[in-house]
Amino acid sequence: QKEVEQNSGPLSVPEGAIASLNCTYSDRVSQSFFWYRQYSGKSPELIMSIYSNGDKEDGRFTAQLNKASQYVSLLIRDSQPSDSATYLCAVTHTGNQFYFGTGTSLTVIP
Amino acid sequence: GAVVSQHPSWVICKSGTSVKIECRSLDFQATTMFWYRQFPKQSLMLMATSNEGSKATYEQGVEKDKFLINHASLTLSTLTVTSAHPEDSSFYICSAPTRQGDSPLHFGNGTRLTVT
């Protein structure tokens, strides 16, 4: 079983809609959770960090964490074509090892 | 925010030559740096973890004699691809957490290596 699993997609949503990206992880002791956005040909860019159960909002982005279910998600409200990218979920326990999912490809259709 | 500077951003070299990629943490000290490789349309693959002042830890299947990593200071790690071959052509990315524990990884802009 992979440490971090994501649906590879592709996920397509119309402009203005909510995009929902999901991630599950296997290590119950994971403490820190991150979402990265990666445009084609570019390196990953951090967009959200979450450490406690519940929701964390930053602009159009909301990260949701449920440690009991070992599940972390990212919601993108009012999706824009510029949000089209691959979204990577990452988890760590100690900060010495980071586990990345394979990424979900999102396309926002104008 | 934390900045990781990586260069060159792209390099083309001939088969058999060596290429050095530098990764610097500009506004924090990086005890640990991670080196990744990414082939087109594939996911990030961790190559090695470099620790300042000690030997790097390589992932299974990554040749340590081919991919030389040096982390001589708290702000600089280098990856040297020795005797490069066309199959080494890839996107190489370094990253570092700003501190141990709960800090996220901050990535350099990556180096596109093409071996002809």
Side-chain angles (χ1 to χ4, degrees):
Chain A
Q1 183 186 6
K2 293 182 180 177
E3 296 281 348
V4 178
E5 300 215 40
Q6 295 181 251
N7 186 328
S8 61
L11 173 66
S12 294
V13 299
E15 184 173 356
I18 295 175
S20 178
L21 304 161
N22 304 315
C23 173
T24 58
Y25 59 95
S26 61
D27 190 348
R28 285 195 168 274
V29 298
S30 296
Q31 297 286 346
S32 306
F33 307 85
F34 312 102
W35 282 100
Y36 290 84
R37 177 176 62 199
Q38 186 176 24
Y39 292 113
S40 180
K42 303 293 185 182
S43 67
E45 167 193 14
L46 178 69
I47 51 173
M48 289 287 284
S49 304
I50 187 166
Y51 304 98
S52 349
N53 279 327
D55 295 0
K56 179 182 178 182
E57 187 174 317
D58 183 0
R60 296 187 295 112
F61 298 100
T62 299
Q64 299 174 317
L65 175 61
N66 184 323
K67 289 187 179 181
S69 300
Q70 295 175 239
Y71 175 95
V72 57
S73 66
L74 179 70
L75 301 178
I76 307 174
R77 290 182 300 283
D78 188 23
S79 295
Q80 302 296 308
S82 58
D83 295 326
S84 298
T86 296
Y87 289 81
L88 302 169
C89 171
V91 307
T92 187
H93 169 45
T94 62
N96 292 323
Q97 286 182 301
F98 288 78
Y99 298 97
F100 282 84
T102 53
T104 299
S105 175
L106 171 67
T107 300
V108 180
I109 304 167
Chain B
V3 177
V4 175
S5 175
Q6 182 177 347
H7 70 91
S9 56
W10 62 270
V11 58
I12 301 173
C13 71
K14 292 186 175 180
S15 189
T17 61
S18 296
V19 173
K20 179 185 281 188
I21 301 169
E22 290 191 351
C23 182
R24 295 181 184 273
S25 56
L26 296 187
D27 51 357
F28 65 99
Q29 293 185 325
T31 306
T32 302
M33 285 191 176
F34 299 90
W35 287 93
Y36 291 86
R37 179 167 56 181
Q38 189 174 37
F39 293 105
K41 299 192 184 300
Q42 294 190 21
S43 55
L44 290 173
M45 187 190 82
L46 179 65
M47 298 177 67
T49 301
S50 78
N51 295 291
E52 185 269 335
S54 62
K55 290 184 179 180
T57 303
Y58 289 82
E59 296 299 300
Q60 191 172 9
V62 178
E63 299 174 60
K64 62 180 181 180
D65 295 329
K66 179 172 182 61
F67 299 99
L68 301 178
I69 290 175
N70 183 283
H71 194 156
S73 78
L74 287 171
T75 59
L76 174 64
S77 177
T78 61
L79 167 67
T80 301
V81 182
T82 64
S83 186
H85 288 97
E87 56 264 33
D88 298 323
S89 298
S90 189
F91 191 46
Y92 293 85
I93 319 172
C94 67
S95 66
T98 52
R99 61 181 182 274
Q100 292 299 105
D102 61 358
S103 166
L105 285 180
H106 298 272
F107 286 86
N109 287 334
T111 298
R112 176 80 53 197
L113 171 64
T114 302
V115 184
T116 61

